[in-house]
């Protein structure tokens, strides 16, 4: 049982007015949605323990190279039919409590919303539709003959969205919008979210690993994502 307070604020925030920020970036797995997509894919193929162990080690920062950890997990899923991927999305994907409330509040306050994930576009685009998200960056599963190959598809920016790519995406989008990193918020739970969280005005750890919680300016340890609205009104 955690003894951490439900909501922690550490350090000085640039502003406590939500409308003073222009961009909010969210991790997806275990942040905007309640599950780790790759673990759930593995679960229905009987490989969850093996894949989840790599996921946990990566999120704790024990596997320093996120790209390598993802390649290891995807290799275990070679041959999984797309029908199983569709089942995961239809039967298991759930928005995190408070996600819609927070995203709606951000959009009403004039912020753009970015989903930037080390997960997969198959799920991220669905979440985009559910929440009305403006921008998505995530990995594309490679499929041949209706089955996963165990690889991802190369995109214009690279092949795997890791922590460095999350950071580049947030800073690049801020630059295109003509805003400073201080006018951005980043929300995540794992160590691969730290590079973007370190760059922005408000970093938010959501039910996060201890290392991430220790570095974030705001930590939501209990309750939904909408707890952030108690900090940024």
């Amino acid at each position: 049982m955690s003894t951490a307070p439900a909501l922690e604020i550490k350090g000085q925030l640039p502003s406590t007015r939500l409308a003073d920020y222009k961009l909010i970036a969210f991790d997806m797995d275990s942040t905007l949605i309640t599950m780790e997509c790759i673990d759930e894919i593995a679960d229905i193929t009987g490989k969850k323990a093996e894949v989840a162990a790599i996921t946990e080690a990566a999120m704790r920062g024990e596997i320093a190279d996120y790209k390598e950890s993802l390649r290891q997990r995807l290799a275990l899923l070679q041959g999984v039919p797309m029908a199983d991927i569709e089942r995961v999305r239809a039967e298991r994907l759930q928005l995190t409590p408070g996600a819609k409330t927070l995203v709606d509040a951000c959009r009403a306050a004039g912020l753009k919303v970015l989903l930037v994930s080390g997960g997969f576009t198959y799920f991220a685009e669905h979440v985009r539709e559910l929440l009305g998200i403006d921008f998505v960056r995530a990995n594309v599963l490679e499929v041949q003959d209706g089955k996963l190959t165990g690889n991802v598809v190369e995109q214009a920016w690279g092949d795997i969205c890791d922590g460095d790519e999350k950071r580049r995406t947030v800073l690049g989008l801020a630059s295109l919008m003509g805003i400073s990193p201080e006018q951005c918020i980043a929300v995540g739970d794992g160590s691969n979210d730290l590079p973007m969280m370190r760059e922005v005005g408000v970093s938010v750890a959501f039910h996060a690993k201890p290392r991430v919680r220790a570095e974030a300016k705001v930590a939501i340890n209990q309750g939904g994502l909408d707890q952030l609205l108690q900090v940024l009104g």
Side-chain angles (χ1 to χ4, degrees):
M1 180 70 70
S2 173
T3 58
L7 188 64
E8 297 176 273
I9 305 171
K10 297 166 286 182
Q12 189 71 30
L13 305 184
S15 171
T16 56
R17 289 184 68 248
L18 187 59
D20 287 338
Y21 299 92
K22 303 302 176 189
L23 174 67
I24 185 165
F26 289 98
D27 172 50
M28 179 175 69
D29 293 34
S30 298
T31 301
L32 276 179
I33 62 176
T34 59
M35 68 180 187
E36 293 284 334
C37 292
I38 196 166
D39 292 356
E40 296 305 316
I41 296 168
D43 183 45
I44 60 174
T45 60
K47 296 181 179 178
K48 184 164 186 176
E50 204 173 347
V51 170
I54 301 173
T55 301
E56 271 296 302
M59 291 300 97
R60 288 194 302 264
E62 293 168 8
I63 300 177
D65 187 346
Y66 177 82
K67 290 186 178 184
E68 179 56 31
S69 80
L70 185 62
R71 290 189 183 103
Q72 289 178 22
R73 287 174 284 170
L74 279 173
L76 294 169
L77 302 181
Q78 182 178 1
V80 172
M82 278 305 295
D84 285 346
I85 312 298
E86 291 163 8
R87 277 181 52 212
V88 170
R89 188 178 74 177
E91 298 173 9
R92 303 192 180 193
L93 188 148
Q94 293 184 344
L95 294 176
T96 296
K100 188 171 188 330
T101 300
L102 177 56
V103 170
D104 286 352
C106 288
R107 296 182 72 206
L111 284 76
K112 294 294 185 183
V113 181
L114 165 68
L115 186 165
V116 58
S117 174
F120 308 112
T121 54
Y122 183 83
F123 301 98
E125 291 294 344
H126 181 63
V127 175
R128 181 212 285 257
E129 292 176 13
L130 292 175
L131 293 175
I133 287 170
D134 299 292
F135 309 104
V136 167
R137 176 149 296 177
N139 306 309
V140 178
L141 290 166
E142 185 177 66
V143 180
Q144 287 181 0
D145 301 321
K147 296 179 180 180
L148 299 188
T149 66
N151 298 310
V152 290
V153 177
E154 184 88 14
Q155 300 182 69
W157 48 265
D159 59 347
I160 291 176
C161 184
D162 61 357
D164 287 339
E165 182 57 32
K166 288 188 177 196
R167 173 184 172 276
R168 283 192 294 270
T169 301
V170 171
L171 293 179
L173 186 52
S175 178
L176 286 172
M177 292 174 62
I179 62 174
S180 72
E182 224 178 40
Q183 292 173 288
C184 302
I185 303 165
V187 187
D189 72 304
S191 60
N192 66 326
D193 297 312
L194 284 171
M196 70 172 177
M197 291 171 69
R198 290 169 179 151
E199 297 285 348
V200 299
V202 179
S203 52
V204 182
F206 180 72
H207 295 209
K209 303 296 183 284
R211 181 181 170 196
V212 180
R213 195 169 69 232
E215 287 200 35
K217 288 187 176 179
V218 178
I220 300 171
N221 302 316
Q222 299 172 42
L225 277 168
D226 54 341
Q227 298 291 310
L228 185 59
L229 298 175
Q230 294 185 28
V231 180
L232 302 176

